[in-house]
Amino acid sequence: MSPIPLVTITPLLAVLLLAACGDDEEEIAASERCLEEDFAAFTAGEIANDEISASLDIETASGTPGRVSPQEVRIQIGEAILPGGDPEEDDEYPVLLRLIDPDSPQDFARYIDELTIDDPLHLEIFDASDIGPGSQDLTSMDDFDCSIEEGTICMQVGFDTAGDGILFDDDDFVYNAAGGTLTIDGFVSGADRGFSVRWDADLGRNIMVQDDSSGDFEGCIRPDYEPRTDYWILE
């Protein structure tokens, strides 16, 4: 058999290489999924110890109820099975995210709006994993030194097992962030009101019980909002 001419082989190799490259799609980061895939909220992560685990892989294109109050953002980012639960048998519970600046110099929403007029606001996530001794008001973050003015913010995520739309001592699984980064793209005004945030965070233990669970948690939110006098509604 006569050898195949080199001029024939070269174009063939080029076609095969292009085909292979075309199949290798670039993975979209969790923090970019809301914008790229039109999600209202998207998260990827896990909380685990030697005995239990909980997936924080959540996506929703529908409502993300919550509010922006004077010192914090509180939003439901979706629903998930409790740590140690059985996906085949157990119900899902709302997962709530809180972003907190206990010493905000002014109304949180308007303060953020001012800081993001020209560019996104990049913040370090404060290590609030060590809450110290106590048996009441464990979910409070008022005593932490996180401050947007100083370039930091506090983050908390948990399962609303009490079903009251907040995170408090009657919920079973609540985690304070131990570090990471967060970017607030800001508020979009006009007819299409929107609020965009993305993050990559480490999570500390469950503050409701002394366990050694920890995890990682990255994602984004892009809810609509409606301004009110004392707070802004997130939808």
Side-chain angles (χ1 to χ4, degrees):
M1 179 182 296
S2 301
I4 301 174
L6 182 60
V7 292
T8 302
I9 295 175
T10 303
L12 178 61
L13 287 174
V15 170
L16 292 174
L17 287 172
L18 286 173
C21 292
D23 291 337
D24 186 17
E25 295 183 3
E26 184 177 352
E27 184 178 351
I28 303 173
S31 61
E32 306 295 334
R33 296 288 290 273
C34 293
L35 180 62
E36 293 290 335
E37 302 189 23
D38 200 25
F39 289 130
F42 180 91
T43 64
E46 183 182 43
I47 301 167
N49 59 22
D50 292 337
E51 299 177 356
I52 63 172
S53 65
S55 171
L56 290 174
D57 294 347
I58 304 170
E59 62 182 56
T60 177
S62 57
T64 47
R67 65 168 58 190
V68 184
S69 56
Q71 277 77 43
E72 72 171 273
V73 174
R74 183 179 74 243
I75 184 170
Q76 179 179 323
I77 57 175
E79 297 185 342
I81 301 295
L82 294 179
D86 184 346
E88 300 296 327
E89 298 181 3
D90 296 334
D91 293 332
E92 295 183 333
Y93 285 84
V95 178
L96 304 184
L97 174 71
R98 298 176 69 203
L99 305 175
I100 302 162
D101 177 355
D103 297 317
S104 178
Q106 57 178 297
D107 179 87
F108 192 100
R110 290 174 174 80
Y111 184 41
I112 292 297
D113 199 25
E114 289 179 5
L115 293 175
T116 55
I117 290 176
D118 297 320
D119 298 294
L121 177 63
H122 302 286
L123 300 170
E124 294 294 321
I125 297 174
F126 188 86
D127 183 356
S129 57
D130 184 6
I131 63 169
S135 59
Q136 292 184 327
D137 206 10
L138 299 177
T139 58
S140 173
M141 306 192 89
D142 290 346
D143 294 332
F144 289 108
D145 292 329
C146 43
S147 167
I148 292 176
E149 200 168 32
E150 299 295 328
T152 64
I153 194 166
C154 282
M155 172 186 282
Q156 185 179 82
V157 62
F159 295 79
D160 180 19
T161 56
D164 53 9
I166 63 173
L167 294 177
F168 194 57
D169 291 0
D170 51 359
D171 294 306
D172 299 324
F173 299 93
V174 180
Y175 303 84
N176 289 353
T181 57
L182 180 139
T183 298
I184 302 177
D185 294 309
F187 294 90
V188 177
S189 59
D192 298 323
R193 294 193 181 110
F195 176 48
S196 177
V197 180
R198 43 204 164 97
W199 67 87
D200 188 347
D202 299 318
L203 297 177
R205 64 177 179 83
N206 179 9
I207 63 176
M208 294 303 155
V209 295
Q210 295 288 338
D211 68 28
D212 58 353
S213 63
S214 59
D216 55 82
F217 177 46
E218 59 178 318
C220 53
I221 56 173
R222 200 160 60 95
D224 297 329
Y225 70 90
E226 179 183 338
R228 299 286 180 87
T229 302
D230 298 325
Y231 58 88
W232 292 12
I233 293 291
L234 299 178
E235 302 170 344

